[in-house]
Amino acid sequence: MIEVKDAVIPELRFPEFEGEWVETKLGDFIIDHRGGASFKPKDFVSYSGCEVIPKKAISRGGRLLLDEHSPTYCNPTFFSNNPRSVIDESYLITTLRDLVPSGPNIGYLVQFKSNKSYILAQGVYALKLDMNKVVREFLIHYSNSFNYRKVMRTIMVGSTQVHIRNQDYFNIRFHSPKIQEQQKIATFLTAVDKRIQMLQQKKEKLERYKKGVMQKLFSQEIRFKDEKGEDYPDWEEKKLGEVTNIYDGTHQTPKYVESGIPFYSVEHISANQFSSTKYISEKVFEKENQRVRLESGDILMTRIGSIGVAKYIDWDVRASFYVSLALLKQRADFDGKFLSYAIHNSRFQRELWKRTIHVAFPQKINLGEIGKCRISLPSLPEQKRIAAFLSSLYKKIDQVTQQIEHTRQWKKGLLQKMFV
């Protein structure tokens, strides 16, 4: 029997349900649990032995991330000597330990079902639930809610090996509705997850198509025709320094200010994110502009650490940049947007790789070496055709990316309002 205490109702609720949610303990829903085994290096094998479910496999959103390309195996003897850590049926799995206090996967719940046996690593627990009291998917979604994550942070203990104790976990008190409402919530939120997964799959397909079509465009397997249906002139191979002027950013780490002129570095180009930056003063900005000015139509390319990620500046920019970036100013007879796509082509990337100083830490490529990289260029009209085609493809990918982010944020809001 579930003990009723300070009963409450959620902010957002399906209209066919009424009445108060009741407070109970997580342990009231658990009828069995199994902890992971403590492995030593000698217990692991490189061949296809008995597969291990490690802590890193437990992720938010109810997903179990078993790496199919590089799974972890243990030897059969260790497997047979730890029967309580072996699972082979549908369980709710939680990671109870991680290396840092704010470890992202502590306490997240995922569903596991397989036709073969797996062994749990230390810090992973399998929970068997009383299905008469709780809907498994309801609990999975609850483990992603704000209130649940807040509770996880309060019961984490330890400094070097952060974890949550079984008894603390089982004693977590939370509010839940009757089974029918649990099922309705679980079904709805699972449908939202499927929507996100479909969008992710759509993005992956577009990314694969983009990669394939870029390979064919820059290898000239695919060619455009002019307005008369005639072939464009043959492509020419040139050094990048012959078609662009190349500069680097400031070599001095500037004094940052709370607000002012945006200051770009590698992470902004790599993440394609320019709305959140550090700032420099107007005085520092004007001094740097006397040496080199960043303008719309330019290309910024990473050259230290992460190498060869390019961004075409297609907005009215007023910013400065660090030495880790190279600034490419194209000349009038070449299209900057095409050039930014050509830089990401595998052939040009190999050119960069050959000229990169790999023994440096972090690795880097000097400005002079960038200019020596060879690049194949069609006539200006064909450059513009290729750039327009690829831009439309990138736009589709960006739109799907935004849909994914918006749906995730919407779900985040739902979780906060549908649980108490």
Side-chain angles (χ1 to χ4, degrees), residues 34 53 85-89 91 93 112 116-118 120 126:
R34 297 185 178 191
I53 297 180
S85 296
V86 176
I87 58 172
D88 57 4
E89 58 181 279
Y91 276 83
I93 301 176
F112 174 78
K116 69 176 183 178
S117 296
Y118 284 75
L120 303 174

Side-chain angles (χ1 to χ4, degrees), residues 191-228:
V192 176
D193 283 340
K194 288 181 179 178
R195 167 67 176 167
I196 294 172
Q197 290 172 13
M198 288 174 61
L199 288 170
Q200 288 173 329
Q201 291 169 0
K202 182 178 180 180
K203 181 181 177 181
E204 289 168 3
K205 288 180 180 178
L206 285 170
E207 291 280 9
R208 287 195 298 269
Y209 174 71
K210 180 199 74 176
K211 183 178 180 180
V213 77
M214 284 185 71
Q215 181 65 30
K216 291 181 179 180
L217 282 169
F218 289 105
S219 66
Q220 302 176 55
E221 184 179 341
I222 296 176
R223 292 288 305 273
F224 286 97
K225 302 284 187 181
D226 64 19
E227 311 80 49
K228 299 179 180 179

Side-chain angles (χ1 to χ4, degrees), residues 131-143:
M131 296 305 177
N132 294 316
K133 292 183 178 180
V134 68
V135 174
R136 179 173 50 233
E137 290 78 11
F138 174 83
L139 210 54
I140 289 174
H141 290 298
Y142 171 68
S143 77

Side-chain angles (χ1 to χ4, degrees), residues 280-330:
I280 58 175
S281 68
E282 186 79 28
K283 182 179 179 181
V284 173
F285 170 70
E286 290 300 339
K287 181 180 179 181
E288 186 61 21
N289 269 358
Q290 293 175 12
R291 183 181 70 89
V292 59
R293 180 182 295 271
L294 180 60
E295 300 172 296
S296 178
D298 290 343
I299 299 168
L300 284 174
M301 189 189 81
T302 58
R303 72 173 197 90
I304 297 178
S306 171
I307 296 174
V309 181
K311 176 63 180 179
Y312 177 72
I313 306 299
D314 59 357
W315 64 93
D316 187 14
V317 64
R318 195 166 188 267
S320 192
F321 61 102
Y322 196 44
V323 66
S324 55
L325 299 176
L327 171 63
L328 281 59
K329 286 184 172 288
Q330 82 277 2

Side-chain angles (χ1 to χ4, degrees), residues 259 270 316:
S259 62
S270 298
D316 187 14

Side-chain angles (χ1 to χ4, degrees), residues 153-267:
R153 289 191 291 272
T154 65
I155 64 174
M156 290 179 188
V157 295
S159 54
T160 56
Q161 184 74 345
V162 178
H163 61 283
I164 53 179
R165 294 183 287 248
N166 287 357
Q167 199 56 42
D168 291 339
Y169 183 75
F170 297 154
N171 283 330
I172 291 175
R173 307 196 72 87
F174 79 109
H175 296 85
S176 63
K178 294 179 180 179
I179 286 287
Q180 294 84 353
E181 190 170 359
Q182 289 183 33
Q183 186 62 64
K184 182 83 174 186
I185 293 170
T187 301
F188 175 74
L189 291 175
T190 299
V192 176
D193 283 340
K194 288 181 179 178
R195 167 67 176 167
I196 294 172
Q197 290 172 13
M198 288 174 61
L199 288 170
Q200 288 173 329
Q201 291 169 0
K202 182 178 180 180
K203 181 181 177 181
E204 289 168 3
K205 288 180 180 178
L206 285 170
E207 291 280 9
R208 287 195 298 269
Y209 174 71
K210 180 199 74 176
K211 183 178 180 180
V213 77
M214 284 185 71
Q215 181 65 30
K216 291 181 179 180
L217 282 169
F218 289 105
S219 66
Q220 302 176 55
E221 184 179 341
I222 296 176
R223 292 288 305 273
F224 286 97
K225 302 284 187 181
D226 64 19
E227 311 80 49
K228 299 179 180 179
E230 301 292 333
D231 291 335
Y232 283 111
D234 291 340
W235 289 33
E236 294 181 307
E237 188 172 88
K238 293 179 180 270
K239 293 179 181 179
L240 188 61
E242 294 176 334
V243 298
T244 64
N245 296 319
I246 306 173
Y247 309 87
D248 60 1
T250 178
H251 287 236
Q252 301 295 323
T253 302
K255 181 179 179 180
Y256 299 116
V257 295
E258 288 188 10
S259 62
I261 307 300
F263 188 74
Y264 299 152
S265 55
V266 167
E267 59 265 27

